[in-house]
Amino acid sequence: MIEIRNLKKSFDDNEVLRGVDITIHDGETVAIIGESGCGKSVLLKHIIGLLQPDSGTVKVDGILIADAKEDVLYALRRRIGFLFQSAALFDSMTVYENIVLGLWEAGERDEVKLRQIATEKLGLVGLGARSLLDFKPSSLSGGMKKRVGLARALAMQPQYMFYDEPTTGLDPVTSDQIDYLILSLTESFSTTSLIITHDLFTVKRIAKRVIYLNKGLIFFDGTPKELEQSTDKTVVQFIERFVK
Amino acid sequence: MVKNRNPVRFLGRKIVNFLSEFGEISRLLERTFSFVPRLGRDRILLFNQMAHIGSNSLPLVVIIGFFTGMVSAWQAASQFKGLISLSLLGSAVSRAIFMELGPVLTAIVIAGRVGASIAAELGTMKVTEQIDALESLGISPVRYLSTPRVVAGTLMLPILTIFANVIALIGAFVVANFFLGISEKVFFDSVKRFFHLKDVFGGLFKTFFFGGVTALIGVHVGLRTTSGAEGVGKSSVRAFVLSASMVLILDYVLWTIIF
């Protein structure tokens, strides 16, 4: 379970989070939406301890992130899969090395087993038919990079999956493919999933709950259907483009 | 737009920033060395960095060393003219090379080639979220990126300096022999006459610090990079300027202690 209480964060004079409270229960699939720069990614980075709050607390499975010792924090992170907005593949490594790095660092040295896991995870993300293991990320398309990033996150068999704008910058067809991929992975592995997006199509397809972050505060918390039916002016303005 | 700056506030902020950055570097140094006992397991990372910092820098060090030796021979000859016998040129040049020129010029070349490249590489990783990705996989960037680079820098600079010293001496001999008419025997007798092991080891001792500091500053600056490609460019320049300055400051401090 993820518990966020009165989370505040500023960068210089820019107050990004102004007191956010969220509880995410195990097995939930939650989408966090909001305008660019409203603090969605900042919120996600607080949950895995990449950023420290100015005030407030973040707890994951009872572990207080800000006070956690380094080894506890790293052990927790190994249970969390993170798909970055830019995929964030290590460009000096091959696809295979990217996928198995976490396992290698966790002590797995059996090359045959590692190769088998990498092939299996690439299959899960729809790249099984192509032998990409020895490719460098620079030779992959944007959609393929996202899929490899997803395979890397899945290699650790995470209990939580965080997706930071999984379809941003992709064409509509690839966006749809990524959406259905996330949906099938969420259903197959029963992970607790948190999706940061401003793509309402993604929200409708994947999320069971949606949180709308506005000006550093939670403005809406409900189901995608409730969001669509909302008559609040700010919500309507945000979702208008997608409803039309 | 011209900003109306309060000079006291501006100066205060600069001092606070300096102290804060100094604190960050000290903390990075402490954390970097806390992972040294794990280097046995991370030896592949260390060997890769030793190859990058060491053997890949060798051609540049050889060229710089050779020309440094040649120009120092001309410089000494010009200063000796009419005052001191040229038969002592080998001694003067070799001591200058072993104590100062070899260690410091090699360190500055490495600050340009390695310090800046570490900052650019890690800076690119930072702005493309690869550092965050490492963290998210439960891997400490300090252990994975900083420790191998700082240890490799500390170990490889003395080795590069040995090469630079030998090549510089050969360069000086070439000028002395071919252009100043000093025979091989006279030149090397002069080198031996005033040769002190302390000069060589003192010079090499300094390079352990130069190499470590250069890599550490490269890592620190790289990990603080922001603002995309422009930020990466600024980080490379900043890493070179800071490490070259630190090499010269440390050189003075260590010189007063050793010699």
Side-chain angles (χ1 to χ4, degrees):
Chain A
M1 186 165 77
I2 300 167
E3 298 160 276
I4 300 165
R5 296 285 171 267
N6 198 24
L7 183 66
K8 292 181 183 174
K9 181 72 178 177
S10 301
F11 296 98
D12 296 324
D13 297 332
N14 182 17
E15 215 175 358
V16 179
L17 300 176
R18 300 193 295 138
V20 171
D21 286 279
I22 306 174
T23 302
I24 295 164
H25 298 280
D26 289 345
E28 269 195 301
T29 303
V30 181
I32 297 178
I33 59 169
E35 290 87 1
S36 299
C38 73
K40 304 185 294 289
S41 300
V42 169
L43 178 66
L44 212 55
K45 286 182 178 178
H46 274 92
I47 301 175
I48 60 167
L50 291 178
L51 290 172
Q52 293 295 318
D54 295 340
S55 67
T57 59
V58 178
K59 276 187 187 177
V60 180
D61 291 344
I63 298 168
L64 189 60
I65 298 298
D67 291 348
K69 284 187 177 172
E70 198 171 65
D71 52 342
V72 175
L73 192 58
Y74 283 131
L76 174 69
R77 283 175 184 164
R78 283 193 277 272
R79 292 195 281 129
I80 299 172
F82 202 123
L83 175 63
F84 287 85
Q85 191 175 339
S86 59
L89 299 178
F90 305 115
D91 44 24
S92 60
M93 297 181 190
T94 62
V95 166
Y96 164 68
E97 289 165 339
N98 264 283
I99 295 172
V100 302
L101 179 66
L103 292 166
W104 170 273
E105 287 293 321
E108 181 57 64
R109 293 288 187 273
D110 184 343
E111 193 74 23
V112 176
K113 192 176 172 188
L114 288 172
R115 218 149 175 104
Q116 200 180 343
I117 292 171
T119 310
E120 181 205 327
K121 300 303 173 194
L122 273 185
L124 272 179
V125 298
L127 292 174
R130 308 176 67 166
S131 180
L132 296 175
L133 288 179
D134 298 318
F135 280 51
K136 284 282 182 80
S138 56
S139 52
L140 304 179
S141 69
M144 283 165 128
K145 282 182 188 168
K146 291 254 177 171
R147 284 162 189 255
V148 173
L150 200 47
R152 181 176 68 185
L154 291 171
M156 302 291 281
Q157 294 189 301
Q159 178 188 343
Y160 295 94
M161 267 305 300
F162 295 169
Y163 305 89
D164 189 1
E165 309 212 8
T167 56
T168 299
L170 300 179
D171 64 84
V173 176
T174 314
S175 295
D176 286 350
Q177 288 171 348
I178 296 281
D179 280 351
Y180 288 118
L181 185 59
I182 293 172
L183 188 62
S184 89
L185 292 171
T186 307
E187 285 169 356
S188 313
F189 297 104
S190 308
T191 51
T192 306
S193 301
L194 206 54
I195 304 140
I196 299 284
T197 185
H198 40 215
D199 183 343
L200 265 287
F201 295 120
T202 300
V203 174
K204 282 204 279 189
R205 271 190 202 121
I206 305 169
K208 303 284 182 285
R209 177 181 165 199
V210 54
I211 293 168
Y212 174 36
L213 209 56
N214 183 266
K215 293 177 182 161
L217 291 167
I218 293 184
F219 196 81
F220 173 91
D221 189 345
T223 64
K225 196 168 183 183
E226 286 168 345
L227 180 83
E228 218 173 325
Q229 290 168 347
S230 173
T231 50
D232 183 278
K233 201 179 154 191
T234 312
V235 174
V236 170
Q237 199 178 10
F238 183 72
I239 65 172
E240 204 173 30
R241 192 169 71 89
F242 295 92
V243 174
K244 279 177 186 172
Chain B
M1 192 175 72
V2 180
K3 283 183 183 173
N4 187 13
R5 278 179 173 160
N6 178 335
V8 177
R9 181 181 284 187
F10 177 74
L11 186 66
R13 183 165 287 195
K14 285 280 174 199
I15 291 170
V16 168
N17 287 347
F18 171 78
L19 292 175
S20 153
E21 189 162 5
F22 186 76
E24 277 178 36
I25 294 175
S26 307
R27 173 90 180 112
L28 176 64
L29 179 68
E30 182 256 316
R31 293 194 66 215
T32 296
F33 279 100
S34 75
F35 287 112
V36 167
R38 263 202 62 143
L39 270 178
R41 266 193 283 175
D42 293 336
R43 57 188 176 278
I44 295 173
L45 299 173
L46 177 66
F47 293 154
N48 285 341
Q49 290 308 316
M50 286 170 83
H52 174 62
I53 295 171
S55 43
N56 294 355
S57 303
L58 202 52
L60 187 61
V61 167
V62 166
I63 293 167
I64 300 290
F66 192 68
F67 281 93
T68 301
M70 290 204 298
V71 83
S72 60
W74 280 118
Q75 173 70 24
S78 134
Q79 286 184 299
F80 281 14
K81 204 172 184 181
L83 295 169
I84 303 170
S85 161
L86 280 181
S87 64
L88 293 173
L89 186 127
S91 163
V93 168
S94 64
R95 290 197 75 190
I97 288 169
F98 295 150
M99 291 166 76
E100 276 302 309
L101 294 175
V104 173
L105 287 179
T106 308
I108 287 177
V109 166
I110 293 303
R113 186 189 173 275
V114 175
S117 91
I118 290 175
E121 184 190 3
L122 270 55
T124 305
M125 288 182 77
K126 180 80 193 308
V127 299
T128 55
E129 296 184 304
Q130 291 177 53
I131 303 285
D132 286 348
L134 267 184
E135 294 259 20
S136 78
L137 289 168
I139 300 167
S140 161
V142 176
R143 176 182 73 71
Y144 198 79
L145 300 170
S146 181
T147 305
R149 282 166 175 77
V150 173
V151 172
T154 308
L155 295 178
M156 294 316 288
L157 196 61
I159 295 171
L160 289 171
T161 306
I162 292 171
F163 278 97
N165 285 348
V166 172
I167 299 292
L169 199 59
I170 293 171
F173 169 69
V174 167
V175 168
N177 192 245
F178 289 97
F179 300 103
L180 301 170
I182 301 168
S183 73
E184 183 185 333
K185 187 176 181 315
V186 170
F187 182 82
F188 285 106
D189 275 351
S190 164
V191 171
K192 278 189 270 181
R193 198 179 311 156
F194 295 99
F195 180 82
H196 299 295
L197 263 182
K198 192 187 170 192
D199 296 346
V200 179
F201 286 120
L204 291 178
F205 179 72
K206 294 191 291 184
T207 59
F208 285 103
F209 293 90
F210 296 164
V213 160
T214 295
L216 185 73
I217 288 174
V219 171
H220 164 75
V221 172
L223 292 179
R224 276 171 58 111
T225 304
T226 52
S227 313
E230 188 192 3
V232 173
K234 282 181 182 168
S235 284
S236 308
V237 174
R238 186 156 187 268
F240 172 67
V241 171
L242 278 181
S243 21
S245 311
M246 276 309 295
V247 163
L248 295 174
I249 293 167
L250 267 178
D251 183 48
Y252 175 77
V253 174
L254 291 169
W255 202 94
T256 56
I257 294 169
I258 299 167
F259 301 110

